[in-house]
Amino acid sequence: MIPFIDLQAQYQAYKTEIDERISNVLKRNDFIMGKDVKELEEWMSNYTGTHAVAISSGTDSLMIPLYAMGLKEGDEIITTPFTFFATAEVVSFLKLKPVFVDIDSDTCNIDISKIEQAITPRTKGIISVSLFGQTPDLDKINEIAIKHNIFHLEDAAQSFGAIYKGKKSGGVAEISSTSFFPAKPLGTYGDGGMMFFKDADFATKCASILNQGQSERYSHQYVGVNARFDTMKAAVLMAKLPHYEQELQRREEIALGYSNVFTSPKAVPLKRETFTDRHAWAQYTLKVEQRDKVKDLLQEKGVPTAIHYARPLHLQPALAYLGLKEGSLPVAEDMSKKVLSLPIHPFMSNDTQNIIIEHVNDVLKLV
Ligand SMILES: Cc1ncc(COP(=O)(O)O)c(C=O)c1O
C-alpha cells in the first residue's frame, strides 16, 4: 500500500538534526517551555509578523483566545461547517453559539458573500478556516469584521506556510492559530500548536492563561489552564523548519502534477484561488461524482484516500442541539458526499505519483 503521508521518510532525512535537538533537551532538562520553545516562538513571530505564543495543541490555540476575550454565554461566532470538528467544538465548549455559513463549492472554504447575512447583534466574531492549506479571501473577512466591530480569527491549522496576497497565513487576521499535529504540513511528534496575535497585550494575556494564569511564578492573575508546549516537540519543529520551504515547494509540485492530469469532469480538483501565492497542500482534494465507489476501487489497487469531511459539523450528533437539519447548508452537505483526498507529502517520488495517477485514471474509466 502506498502511504498516505510518510513521516518515517521525513525522519530518516532529518534524523541527525532531530536527534541532536532532542538530545540537547535531555541534557538541559528544560522539558516544558524551554529553550526550543522560545526559539520556535521567535521564529514564528518573525515569520508571520505577529506575537507568536506556543501552546499544547491546535484545539487549544483556538480555545484560549476565545476564552481570554471573556465572551458571554450565547454570544455568536460565525464559522464554516466544513472543517475539522475542533473549530466549532471550542465555540460550543465555551458555551458560545456556532453560527454556520455555507461554503463555496469551488474551494470548500467559507462563502464570504453569505457572512454578513449571518451577523446579528449577538455576533462577536468570525473564525475563518484555511481549508486544506489555502486561505479564503482574508482581507475581505477582515473588512467585514472591522465594519461590524467583531473579531476575525484565522484557523490556520491546515495552512501554515501558505501565502495569501504576499502575506503569510497566520499573519493576516488580528488573531490566528495553527496546529503541529504530526500529519499537518508542519507537524511535530505529538500534539502542539501556535497562536499568533497582532496585539502584544492580548498575546501576553493568552500566554498567561495557558500557564495557569500566572503572570510570574505562583502569582496567578487569571483562572487559566495548563496548555503549555513541550520543549522536545519544539525541538523537533526547529529541526524541521530549515527544510520547510523546500517541502512546501515539493508539495506544490506534486499538487500541480495532479492538477495537470485530472481534467475529467468525473474528478475535479478544488480551485486554487488567484490570490493564493502559495498553497500549503495539507490535502490534495478532488470532487468526485461516485466518490465512495472510486474510494473503494482505489483501495483495492493499494491507493489510500481520505474523506475530509464526510459529515459537515451542523449534522454532527454533538451539535444536534443547534437544531440544524439536513438541507440547511446544502453546499457543505453536497461536498461531504463528493470530496476525496489523494496522498500528498514532500517525500513522494514522481514514480509513486505516476502510479497513483494511473490508478485514478483507470478507476475513473469504470465509473
Ligand atoms: C481546521 C482545524 N482546526 C483545528 C484543528 C485542531 O488541531 P489539533 O488536532 O492540533 O488540536 C485541526 C486539526 O486537526 C484542524 O484541521
Side-chain angles (χ1 to χ4, degrees):
M1 181 67 103
I2 291 166
F4 193 72
I5 58 165
D6 195 346
L7 295 179
Q8 193 46 243
Q10 190 196 42
Y11 174 58
Q12 291 309 325
Y14 314 149
K15 187 174 187 315
T16 316
E17 297 121 286
I18 292 172
D19 289 359
E20 192 185 335
R21 283 258 180 192
I22 289 179
S23 156
N24 287 339
V25 180
L26 293 172
K27 285 176 201 149
R28 286 196 311 267
N29 285 351
D30 59 343
F31 296 117
I32 292 169
M33 298 208 300
K35 184 166 175 276
D36 295 271
V37 176
K38 296 293 153 227
E39 277 179 37
L40 181 68
E41 287 178 334
E42 215 176 293
W43 194 100
M44 291 276 158
S45 299
N46 290 333
Y47 182 78
T48 53
T50 64
H51 304 276
V53 179
I55 188 158
S56 46
S57 70
T59 303
D60 289 337
S61 74
L62 292 164
M63 173 95 84
I64 297 298
L66 284 183
Y67 171 81
M69 283 181 216
L71 302 173
K72 302 276 178 306
E73 186 167 342
D75 282 349
E76 294 173 6
I77 310 294
I78 290 172
T79 193
T80 163
F82 206 71
T83 173
F84 180 62
F85 188 55
T87 314
E89 183 184 28
V90 295
V91 174
S92 182
F93 192 79
L94 292 170
K95 305 233 176 308
L96 311 171
K97 184 180 174 195
V99 174
F100 294 115
V101 166
D102 212 348
I103 58 170
D104 170 354
S105 63
D106 290 334
T107 61
C108 289
N109 268 329
I110 194 165
D111 183 343
I112 296 177
S113 70
K114 295 190 178 136
I115 291 179
E116 281 197 283
Q117 301 157 23
I119 294 176
T120 75
R122 294 217 70 172
T123 306
K124 291 295 183 295
I126 305 164
I127 303 180
S128 65
V129 176
S130 299
L131 196 75
F132 305 151
Q134 172 170 250
T135 73
D137 196 336
L138 295 174
D139 283 346
K140 274 200 188 154
I141 301 176
N142 277 346
E143 273 169 34
I144 295 171
I146 291 164
K147 179 174 158 195
H148 294 274
N149 195 27
I150 56 179
F151 71 81
H152 173 202
L153 189 165
E154 184 204 357
D155 179 349
Q158 302 180 10
S159 62
F160 187 75
I163 302 178
Y164 159 83
K165 290 188 182 172
K167 294 175 274 195
K168 309 280 171 32
S169 172
V172 185
E174 60 177 303
I175 308 166
S176 308
S177 68
T178 197
S179 163
F180 301 129
F181 181 78
K184 294 291 187 239
L186 180 66
T188 187
Y189 297 156
D191 280 307
M194 189 69 64
M195 303 179 286
F196 306 96
F197 303 97
K198 300 269 183 186
D199 183 309
D201 292 338
F202 193 59
T204 305
K205 182 175 185 183
C206 290
S208 168
I209 288 172
L210 74 83
N211 189 16
Q212 328 277 181
Q214 292 177 97
S215 48
E216 53 195 275
R217 201 155 198 203
Y218 302 131
S219 173
H220 303 266
Q221 197 176 351
Y222 308 103
V223 172
V225 292
N226 172 6
R228 293 183 293 250
F229 194 45
D230 297 324
T231 315
M232 277 202 230
K233 294 177 188 172
V236 172
L237 292 169
M238 287 310 296
K240 286 190 181 187
L241 273 174
H243 307 282
Y244 195 49
E245 288 288 316
Q246 210 182 335
E247 287 199 358
L248 288 165
Q249 221 175 314
R250 182 67 188 139
R251 283 180 186 272
E252 286 272 34
E253 276 170 22
I254 293 164
L256 194 66
Y258 281 143
S259 296
N260 283 342
V261 295
F262 296 135
T263 51
S264 148
K266 289 181 185 172
V268 180
L270 291 187
K271 179 180 157 198
R272 185 196 171 105
E273 299 271 23
T274 49
F275 56 63
T276 298
D277 296 328
R278 186 166 67 196
H279 196 308
W281 296 110
Q283 304 297 341
Y284 183 87
T285 306
L286 296 166
K287 288 188 277 182
V288 181
E289 280 305 331
Q290 292 195 56
R291 194 262 320 274
D292 293 340
K293 191 168 173 201
V294 169
K295 183 174 178 33
D296 290 347
L297 289 170
L298 284 172
Q299 181 75 18
E300 279 171 25
K301 290 176 178 290
V303 177
T305 56
I307 298 173
H308 309 98
Y309 295 93
R311 193 190 292 191
L313 301 192
H314 65 292
L315 302 180
Q316 291 291 347
L319 297 180
Y321 73 92
L322 293 171
L324 294 165
K325 297 282 180 277
E326 196 141 3
S328 56
L329 295 159
V331 184
E333 290 165 28
D334 187 37
M335 288 304 117
S336 70
K337 297 181 184 87
K338 291 183 176 159
V339 285
L340 187 68
S341 301
L342 298 180
I344 187 166
H345 63 86
F347 291 86
M348 184 190 285
S349 67
N350 290 341
D351 286 349
T352 303
Q353 183 174 26
N354 288 336
I355 293 168
I356 295 170
I357 289 170
E358 213 172 289
H359 285 319
V360 173
N361 282 334
D362 286 349
V363 164
L364 289 176
K365 281 183 205 133
L366 301 174
V367 296

